[in-house]
Amino acid sequence: MRKLSTWIVHILLVLGILVVIGPFAYMILTSLTADNFSLPSPGKLLYAEKTLANYPEAWSKNNFSRYFVNSLFIASITMALSTSLAALTAYAFARFKFPAKEFLFKLFLFTMFVPAILNIIPQFTVINALGMVNTYPGLIMLYIGSGVVGSTFFLRGFFERIPTELEESIVIDGGTRWTIFYKIYLPLSLPALGTLGIFAFSGTWDEFIVALTIIKTEANRTLPIALQLFRGQYATYYGLFFAASMIALLPILVIFTVFQKQFVNPNLTEGGIKG
């Protein structure tokens, strides 16, 4: 009976994997076939002649390469600044003592419950008043502001689990709060920071509504906007459109591969002071 239940669990797991990977594999195979003016059947995809010609063609059409570079720049800057600001803010809430700290933190978290779509008009009003509409700094500022609250909440809990005893050696040597943060909290928080880096990059890379609202100049558009335009113009060229989608997905795969070992590790004191 136990053997039968094990087989059932394994079969269900395999079916689940196929459900998740199936559309992705279909997308890759379609991007490698030419002259697809209708969605091909899976049988046709398996035996059709494969070609990489769709990829350079998609890269060169409709300023796709420029939009790709625009998004890469914005997502990279946002990831670095958002993670850094969240780490500093979380450290202050975790280890500093100041009046009304818990009230301010709860007020800070309250902004997470406001739907993002409701913030579009006030955000645009503020950015317009600052003269930063149609600029990358204005767009990056909104991305950082929308992600720093959740990142701070996540990191504060992580920082509070780091033993305060690790700070004693630095305090004895005359180290400052900045030294403690730089020498202890950042190295021990690399798993959490890596996780936040993935989320910050992928969230910015895929974002469409805010970028469409803030960026007005065609040359400054980001990749999600370019993909929507690409789909409208080449809606029936499925091989070409899926190739463009695969190119857009590539940085996410690279970021995940680079930071995959930095996912949250429960052993916070690994690499810390040993007795």
Side-chain angles (χ1 to χ4, degrees):
M1 192 67 178
R2 178 178 293 181
K3 213 169 189 181
L4 178 61
S5 62
T6 302
W7 273 101
I8 293 175
V9 170
H10 287 171
I11 291 173
L12 291 175
L13 288 174
V14 170
L15 291 176
I17 292 173
L18 292 177
V19 169
V20 173
I21 296 180
F24 186 68
Y26 182 87
M27 180 178 172
I28 295 176
L29 292 175
T30 303
S31 70
L32 295 175
T33 57
D35 301 327
N36 283 326
F37 300 104
S38 61
L39 283 174
S41 63
K44 179 183 176 181
L45 285 178
L46 291 176
Y47 300 105
E49 182 180 354
K50 305 298 187 297
T51 177
L52 293 173
N54 289 327
Y55 285 86
E57 186 177 356
W59 181 259
S60 61
K61 283 186 177 295
N62 288 13
N63 293 321
F64 189 85
S65 58
R66 181 182 181 88
Y67 299 145
F68 183 94
V69 174
N70 292 346
S71 281
L72 187 62
F73 171 78
I74 293 172
S76 300
I77 296 297
T78 301
M79 178 182 67
L81 295 180
S82 178
T83 306
S84 301
L85 181 60
L88 291 170
T89 309
Y91 178 60
F93 277 116
R95 290 295 183 244
F96 283 44
K97 294 182 179 180
F98 50 89
K101 182 177 78 170
E102 292 303 321
F103 172 76
L104 290 174
F105 187 69
K106 291 176 182 178
L107 187 63
F108 202 51
L109 294 181
F110 177 75
T111 61
M112 295 178 61
F113 297 96
V114 181
I117 194 66
L118 296 181
N119 291 328
I120 291 294
I121 294 178
Q123 285 176 344
F124 182 84
T125 302
V126 172
I127 294 298
N128 186 47
L130 294 174
M132 301 176 73
V133 172
N134 199 32
T135 65
Y136 288 158
L139 183 60
I140 292 172
M141 184 185 298
L142 291 182
Y143 285 155
I144 294 174
S146 61
V148 72
V149 178
S151 299
T152 299
F153 174 73
F154 176 75
L155 282 177
R156 186 197 184 190
F158 200 86
F159 286 166
E160 287 178 338
R161 292 170 58 196
I162 296 177
T164 55
E165 291 79 7
L166 297 176
E167 304 177 11
E168 294 177 0
S169 60
I170 294 181
V171 173
I172 292 174
D173 293 335
T176 62
R177 283 287 190 179
W178 170 253
T179 308
I180 294 172
F181 174 72
Y182 182 73
K183 295 290 186 179
I184 293 180
Y185 283 84
L186 286 187
L188 292 180
S189 303
L190 287 180
L193 294 173
T195 303
L196 290 179
I198 294 175
F199 291 155
F201 186 93
S202 61
T204 304
W205 183 264
D206 295 334
E207 203 285 320
F208 174 76
I209 296 178
V210 175
L212 184 64
T213 304
I214 299 299
I215 301 299
K216 305 299 181 182
T217 305
E218 182 177 350
N220 294 337
R221 286 172 175 167
T222 56
L223 197 58
I225 302 175
L227 277 177
Q228 292 296 325
L229 298 175
F230 202 95
R231 185 178 66 174
Q233 187 169 354
Y234 300 99
T236 57
Y237 294 80
Y238 288 101
L240 194 62
F241 176 68
F242 282 0
S245 300
M246 286 303 303
I247 294 174
L249 188 60
L250 184 61
I252 300 296
L253 298 178
V254 172
I255 287 292
F256 179 80
T257 303
V258 171
F259 288 101
Q260 63 175 333
K261 293 184 179 180
Q262 299 297 338
F263 277 122
V264 174
N265 187 341
N267 188 8
L268 296 179
T269 58
E270 182 178 352
I273 299 174
K274 296 182 179 179

